[in-house]
Amino acid sequence: MNRILPVFRRSIRESWRSLIGWSLGIAAVLFLYLPLYPSFGASGQLEDVIKVLPKELVDTLGYDQIASGAGYAQSTFFGLMGFLLLSIAAVLWGSAAIAGAEESGRLELDLAHGIGRAQYALEAALSVLVRLLWLGAFSGALVFALNDPAQLGIHPPHIVGAALALTGLAYFSAAAGLLAGALTGRRAWATGAAAAVAVLGYVFQAVAKQSEDVEWLNALSPFAWVYHQPPLRDGVDVGGLLLVWGIAVALAAASALALSRRDLRG
């Protein structure tokens, strides 16, 4: 196979329909939540909701800043529904890229046509990255478009940082799935590894908010690395952003090394 990036090109070609579906889902969530802010914010209903909720729940969901436009967008989308949607996509794509291809027999067939193992893994990782970048950029573009109509008052550069943080978290999960798939060849293990990164990252930061005695859990949470400083209000923490992206890229690169050294199943 002499074409440039054959695995990447095929993956993008075969997944564009599902990518449109994910994009429509994100658009539906944003158009459902963000336009409601002016009515909630002006009437004071958000403050009333916060007052009746348990403080622990408010802290866990990040609703302590929900009265502001930036806090509302962060709490409803970037820290909750958007994170959920991109994490699910990352888990599905990361587990299918290598482990799913091996279980279906496609990986061995492609390798028999002259594609190197490391090349296969890297192109698969690139395909997942490009799709997640699209979802992150699409999300940011819609938030930017709704910023003035929904009276959110978000500083536009902060939207870019928040979108990069959301995409980085998703790719961290996907890269963990890529590496687990390259190491084991089992989609179940790849799915578990990818989901664990997303779920544990969220849970660790949620538990850390409940007591000062367990605040150290934030050090283990990629979610906390990029969201401990509200990115839409104060700008993204550059150090946390670089850490998340650096580890994600390292995991993706490690998947190429792992696949190239493992005996594939017959």
Side-chain angles (χ1 to χ4, degrees):
M1 301 179 70
N2 297 320
R3 291 186 303 168
I4 298 174
L5 300 176
V7 177
F8 169 79
R9 289 157 59 94
R10 182 185 64 194
S11 178
I12 296 297
R13 184 175 64 251
E14 293 179 349
S15 62
W16 69 268
R17 290 182 180 85
S18 68
L19 192 60
I20 291 175
W22 283 105
S23 300
L24 291 176
I26 288 172
V29 169
L30 286 169
F31 279 102
L32 173 65
Y33 280 100
L34 298 193
L36 296 177
Y37 175 73
S39 58
F40 285 154
S43 64
Q45 293 182 39
L46 293 175
E47 290 90 340
D48 295 338
V49 170
I50 295 172
K51 290 178 181 178
V52 301
L53 290 175
K55 182 180 184 302
E56 293 78 8
L57 179 61
V58 171
D59 291 341
T60 298
L61 296 177
Y63 282 2
D64 53 321
Q65 301 292 330
I66 200 172
S68 68
Y72 179 81
Q74 176 66 35
S75 300
T76 56
F77 183 75
F78 288 98
L80 189 60
M81 292 303 299
F83 173 72
L84 176 64
L85 288 174
L86 263 74
S87 293
I88 293 174
V91 170
L92 293 175
W93 294 340
S95 62
I98 296 178
E102 183 171 348
E103 287 190 347
S104 69
R106 167 174 278 190
L107 175 60
E108 293 183 15
L109 181 61
D110 287 340
L111 296 180
H113 282 80
I115 300 177
R117 295 185 182 195
Q119 176 188 353
Y120 191 100
L122 291 174
E123 289 191 35
L126 179 61
S127 170
V128 174
L129 174 59
V130 168
R131 283 177 278 169
L132 289 175
L133 283 173
W134 162 255
L135 294 183
F138 182 70
S139 301
L142 288 183
V143 173
F144 179 81
L146 291 170
N147 190 26
D148 289 338
Q151 303 174 24
L152 298 174
I154 303 172
H155 188 43
H158 292 176
I159 298 175
V160 177
L164 285 172
L166 178 62
T167 308
L169 289 174
Y171 194 55
F172 196 136
S173 295
L178 288 166
L179 179 56
L183 287 170
T184 67
R186 300 287 184 178
R187 188 165 186 172
W189 283 100
T191 300
V197 169
V199 173
L200 292 179
Y202 186 86
V203 169
F204 283 167
Q205 64 82 32
V207 173
K209 289 182 177 180
Q210 307 307 310
S211 172
E212 293 182 357
D213 295 334
V214 290
E215 283 187 351
W216 58 270
L217 286 173
N218 282 325
L220 304 177
S221 169
F223 192 94
W225 299 347
V226 293
Y227 285 157
H228 73 92
Q229 172 180 303
L232 288 177
R233 187 190 68 182
D234 302 330
V236 70
D237 184 303
V238 176
L241 184 66
L242 292 176
L243 182 60
V244 165
W245 274 103
I247 295 178
V249 171
L251 291 175
S255 69
L257 180 62
L259 186 64
S260 65
R261 294 189 174 185
R262 182 173 61 83
D263 290 334
L264 299 182
R265 297 185 299 111

